[in-house]
Amino acid sequence: MQTDETDLVLYHVFRADGEEADARNLKSVSVAVDCFEEAGFDVEIRQSSGDAVRNILDEAESIDADVISLAGRKRSPTGKALFGSVAQDVILRSDRTVLLDTTDN
């Protein structure tokens, strides 16, 4: 993959609307950004609040994403098997390729 030919957008949806909320302050976001930047990618961080599924699908459409990649939350083995409602709904409702990482990091 050519890092200079790939637009990478890291998108976080907050559950509640907060003017002080900043995705850049989240550990998961900073770890992901660090990993991508170390691999040579430029990362754009975007955020919103509200309906996560709708917002993720709308954002993917607005940027014409080739792939939606979701990180699952830490869950029990049973919970991982069921993915969770946001991940499951994105997978079922998207016409784009969806990657799901359910590892405990």
Side-chain angles (χ1 to χ4, degrees), residues 1 6 8 12 15 17 22 30-32 35-37 50-51 53-54 56 59-60 65-66 72 74 88-89 103-105:
M1 179 178 294
T6 302
L8 199 146
H12 181 82
R15 292 179 190 258
D17 189 17
D22 187 349
S30 63
V31 168
C35 288
F36 287 126
E37 287 179 345
D51 182 339
V53 175
R54 181 77 264 141
I56 291 167
E59 184 70 15
D66 293 323
K74 291 183 180 181
Q88 185 173 10
D89 286 350
T103 58
D104 290 335
N105 293 325

Side-chain angles (χ1 to χ4, degrees), residues 29-92:
V29 171
S30 63
V31 168
V33 169
D34 289 347
C35 288
F36 287 126
E37 287 179 345
E38 285 177 21
F41 292 95
D42 290 327
V43 181
E44 179 180 353
I45 300 171
R46 296 184 184 181
Q47 68 185 51
S48 67
S49 61
D51 182 339
V53 175
R54 181 77 264 141
N55 289 356
I56 291 167
L57 295 173
D58 288 348
E59 184 70 15
E61 182 177 334
S62 76
I63 64 173
D64 194 24
D66 293 323
V67 176
I68 299 170
S69 179
L70 302 171
R73 296 179 182 192
K74 291 183 180 181
R75 298 185 186 274
S76 68
T78 303
K80 285 182 181 180
L82 299 174
F83 297 129
S85 61
V86 171
Q88 185 173 10
D89 286 350
V90 170
I91 290 167
L92 293 173

